[in-house]
Amino acid sequence: MMPTILMPLPGNGAITADLAREMNAAVRIPDIRHFPDGETYVRLDLDLHGRSVALVCTLDRPDAKLLPLLFAARTVHELGAASVGLVAPYLAYMRQDRRFHPGEAITAAQFASLLSPHFDWLVTVDPHLHRIRALSSIYEIPNRAVHAASAIGTWIAAQVSRPVLIGPDSESVQWVSDASRLTGAPVVTLRKTRLGDNDVSLEEADLSAWHDRTPVLVDDIISTGHTMLETIRLLDRAGMPKPVCVGIHGIFADGAFEALSQSGSRIITTNTIPHASNAIDVSPLLSAAVREMAS
Amino acid sequence: MMPTILMPLPGNGAITADLAREMNAAVRIPDIRHFPDGETYVRLDLDLHGRSVALVCTLDRPDAKLLPLLFAARTVHELGAASVGLVAPYLAYMRQDRRFHPGEAITAAQFASLLSPHFDWLVTVDPHLHRIRALSSIYEIPNRAVHAASAIGTWIAAQVSRPVLIGPDSESVQWVSDASRLTGAPVVTLRKTRLGDNDVSLEEADLSAWHDRTPVLVDDIISTGHTMLETIRLLDRAGMPKPVCVGIHGIFADGAFEALSQSGSRIITTNTIPHASNAIDVSPLLSAAVREMAS
């Protein structure tokens, strides 16, 4: 069988190279650029006929990325590829899955139904499954959600001595409990109340049993960083050492990374979104899923 | 019959208000904003059941605008509107209508086929029809292309004494000849050679017969402004007075407006794209087309 062709959208070169090494896949860099008027130009390698192609495009800050991605997917089809899949290490629009208020757009379902017709399969890393229980409830194409927990657990076991794992809220329980199984470290879960896009409050917890351990915060997404910052402050008030903060997906909205770094904590992410904080490589996990879907 | 509901996407409030006044239509402002992570939130007025709705969204710098627009269109449908049309005073992706080089995305056709399923009709102003002869050759939905020439001709006749109309290239012939019919002004058309996205050259022309007239350059799109700037320099070398530059669509890529203004010329556009240079109102022309399509 011919090896899968990996095609990175702009900004996805590093993880694509890692994936290609893991999978022994070919990489083709498309020519994608902007005209002065803001329109996108796309030109692909010709030799795609009959091949299995995977477009690699992480979807943080998704709005401006969608059109170039769909142009590329259609063109891959038009050039005769046997199949075209999407590797989106971070998948966007997983939060608004219903009308919380009348008249709202259900963007999770709408985004999924815009992407699905253009791809034969989808692979991502830890999508924000909360009320949406499974990717297949909104994506009608074959899909795999890779779990970063094993890579995170391995990293913590190797890099942090005597960790205590802290989940900043009930949604983060899944990440900290997986990491706990791999490291044997104890777990504390806090309770978060969301007051607005930029405002959260956390309930105090009794941490007196863990003062001799390094707190490791684990959460799936670091966006504004407010949840992590509140947790860091709470740990400080409780007399704990400076924590290590681990996010699977480091979105880091305006100034979030700087604010977190100024707290004196160490900030670590996986490489699903390229960032200086990337320290945990998910490409070995991704490669198994891509190999399975693209075969 | 209930009046049409006009719904402006962000940044389209001014022309929507003008249109509403012309059409005696209702305006509903949707709640569209960005979360800190760059995703878009959309919430619409509920009272759309059975109504004819027109979304107003000019499509310069189109990539980041597409997703909010499609979210809004789907939600209008879901809320039970009888029809939803698109008023795009400037329509993007009208240039790449074939593969000039192997492997290129034919973005004109792809963009049209992404938009078309979401709308019942389309109204725009002077799309860049060059190799594409008619909007209907790529847009499968009912559509109208409004011509700004009459509004431009009226403006020139009222504002410029003794004009000579200058078309910077063969594509601009249609705009200058229409304006000439309305103003009775003579016409000179230059010949342009495009050397790259940012580089054009113009052939000299004999302008000695028109030294006592004010040159008025007319073109459909001002993007980088290089074509206009080259024309201004050519007129200067030919000893002509400073020209008035009229563009239907003022995109003004990085610094283009400043560079053109520094030439000492007066820069005028229609209000298809909001800009300080807007002086010609196309809403009376648009309103007739919208009324026809939305009825």
Side-chain angles (χ1 to χ4, degrees), chain A:
Chain A
M1 209 189 79
M2 305 266 277
T4 297
I5 292 173
L6 299 179
M7 198 177 276
L9 275 283
N12 294 271
I15 196 161
T16 303
D18 292 340
L19 248 185
R21 208 165 32 241
E22 291 287 335
M23 293 178 62
N24 195 28
V27 174
R28 303 279 170 76
I29 313 283
D31 180 7
I32 299 182
R33 56 191 170 84
H34 293 288
F35 289 111
D37 63 4
E39 296 187 5
T40 295
Y41 172 85
V42 175
R43 185 179 181 187
L44 306 185
D45 197 280
L46 278 185
D47 191 20
L48 304 178
H49 192 82
R51 301 293 294 270
S52 163
V53 178
L55 296 180
V56 182
C57 185
T58 201
L59 288 170
D60 63 302
R61 294 143 183 105
D63 291 15
K65 293 180 176 178
L66 180 71
L67 197 49
L69 177 61
L70 298 187
F71 285 157
R74 289 212 174 185
T75 307
V76 169
H77 270 304
E78 289 168 13
L79 295 175
S83 65
V84 54
L86 172 61
V87 181
Y90 176 71
L91 185 60
Y93 285 107
M94 290 298 294
R95 292 175 193 270
Q96 182 93 34
D97 58 327
R98 65 177 65 173
R99 296 201 161 96
F100 304 106
H101 303 283
E104 286 181 344
I106 305 169
T107 54
Q110 291 181 351
F111 188 71
S113 79
L114 284 168
L115 274 182
S116 295
H118 294 82
F119 293 100
D120 295 295
W121 52 264
L122 166 68
V123 167
T124 187
V125 179
D126 285 311
H128 191 73
L129 298 172
H130 176 41
R131 284 169 305 266
I132 299 170
R133 296 293 168 162
L135 268 183
S136 294
S137 65
I138 52 172
Y139 283 88
E140 290 167 14
I141 50 177
N143 58 75
R144 287 289 177 282
V146 166
H147 298 294
S150 63
I152 291 171
T154 303
W155 186 89
I156 292 171
Q159 301 286 330
V160 185
S161 62
R162 292 182 57 74
V164 53
L165 302 175
I166 313 277
D169 59 18
S170 61
E171 290 179 39
S172 61
V173 167
Q174 51 188 315
W175 325 116
V176 285
S177 56
D178 283 347
S180 168
R181 267 195 299 281
L182 283 150
T183 56
V187 164
V188 176
T189 306
L190 307 174
R191 277 198 293 189
K192 177 169 74 172
T193 309
R194 180 162 289 280
L195 309 170
D197 288 353
N198 290 308
D199 198 4
V200 295
S201 78
L202 292 171
E203 280 186 26
E204 305 288 334
D206 181 8
L207 295 162
S208 52
W210 315 114
H211 277 185
D212 60 342
R213 288 183 174 254
T214 302
V216 181
L217 313 188
V218 185
D219 209 348
D220 63 338
I221 301 173
I222 307 179
S223 178
T224 62
H226 288 122
T227 300
M228 284 282 186
L229 271 175
E230 279 304 308
T231 312
I232 292 168
R233 288 187 193 118
L234 183 149
L235 295 173
D236 191 50
R237 287 195 299 273
M240 295 288 289
K242 292 285 183 202
V244 177
C245 299
V246 180
I248 299 175
H249 306 294
I251 293 179
F252 298 117
D254 7 276
F257 182 68
E258 294 66 26
L260 285 166
S261 300
Q262 277 164 20
S263 76
S265 308
R266 187 173 173 194
I267 319 295
I268 295 298
T269 56
T270 81
N271 56 346
T272 60
I273 300 171
H275 189 264
S277 61
N278 292 169
I280 302 172
D281 181 13
V282 295
S283 64
L285 297 167
L286 272 177
S287 70
V290 174
R291 196 179 286 117
E292 184 190 346
M293 300 303 285
S295 65

Side-chain angles (χ1 to χ4, degrees), chain B:
Chain B
M1 211 189 76
M2 305 266 276
T4 297
I5 291 173
L6 300 178
M7 198 177 276
L9 276 283
N12 294 271
I15 196 161
T16 303
D18 291 340
L19 247 184
R21 209 164 33 242
E22 292 286 335
M23 293 179 61
N24 194 27
V27 175
R28 303 280 170 76
I29 312 284
D31 179 6
I32 298 183
R33 55 191 171 83
H34 292 288
F35 289 111
D37 63 3
E39 296 186 7
T40 295
Y41 172 85
V42 175
R43 186 179 180 187
L44 307 185
D45 196 278
L46 277 186
D47 191 20
L48 305 178
H49 193 82
R51 300 294 293 271
S52 164
V53 177
L55 295 180
V56 182
C57 185
T58 200
L59 288 170
D60 62 301
R61 293 143 183 106
D63 291 14
K65 293 180 175 176
L66 181 71
L67 197 49
L69 177 61
L70 298 186
F71 285 157
R74 288 211 175 187
T75 308
V76 169
H77 271 303
E78 289 168 13
L79 295 174
S83 67
V84 54
L86 172 61
V87 181
Y90 175 72
L91 184 60
Y93 286 107
M94 290 297 294
R95 293 175 193 269
Q96 182 93 32
D97 58 329
R98 63 178 66 171
R99 297 202 161 96
F100 304 106
H101 303 282
E104 285 181 345
I106 305 169
T107 53
Q110 290 181 351
F111 188 73
S113 79
L114 284 168
L115 275 183
S116 295
H118 294 83
F119 293 99
D120 295 296
W121 52 263
L122 166 68
V123 167
T124 188
V125 178
D126 285 311
H128 191 72
L129 297 172
H130 176 41
R131 283 169 304 265
I132 299 170
R133 297 292 168 162
L135 268 184
S136 294
S137 65
I138 52 172
Y139 283 88
E140 288 167 15
I141 50 178
N143 58 74
R144 288 289 178 279
V146 165
H147 298 292
S150 63
I152 292 172
T154 303
W155 186 90
I156 293 171
Q159 301 286 329
V160 185
S161 63
R162 294 183 56 75
V164 54
L165 302 174
I166 312 277
D169 59 18
S170 60
E171 289 179 40
S172 60
V173 168
Q174 52 187 314
W175 325 116
V176 285
S177 57
D178 283 349
S180 168
R181 266 195 300 281
L182 283 150
T183 56
V187 164
V188 176
T189 306
L190 306 175
R191 278 198 293 188
K192 177 169 74 170
T193 309
R194 181 164 286 280
L195 308 170
D197 287 353
N198 291 307
D199 199 4
V200 293
S201 79
L202 293 171
E203 280 186 27
E204 306 287 335
D206 182 9
L207 296 162
S208 51
W210 315 113
H211 277 185
D212 60 342
R213 287 184 174 252
T214 302
V216 181
L217 313 188
V218 184
D219 209 349
D220 62 339
I221 301 173
I222 307 180
S223 177
T224 62
H226 289 122
T227 300
M228 285 281 187
L229 270 174
E230 279 303 309
T231 312
I232 292 167
R233 289 188 193 119
L234 182 150
L235 295 172
D236 192 51
R237 286 195 299 272
M240 295 288 290
K242 293 285 184 202
V244 178
C245 300
V246 180
I248 299 175
H249 307 294
I251 292 179
F252 299 118
D254 6 276
F257 182 67
E258 295 67 26
L260 285 166
S261 300
Q262 278 164 20
S263 76
S265 308
R266 187 171 173 196
I267 318 296
I268 294 297
T269 57
T270 81
N271 57 345
T272 60
I273 300 172
H275 189 264
S277 60
N278 293 169
I280 302 171
D281 181 13
V282 294
S283 64
L285 297 167
L286 271 177
S287 71
V290 173
R291 197 179 286 116
E292 185 189 346
M293 300 303 285
S295 66

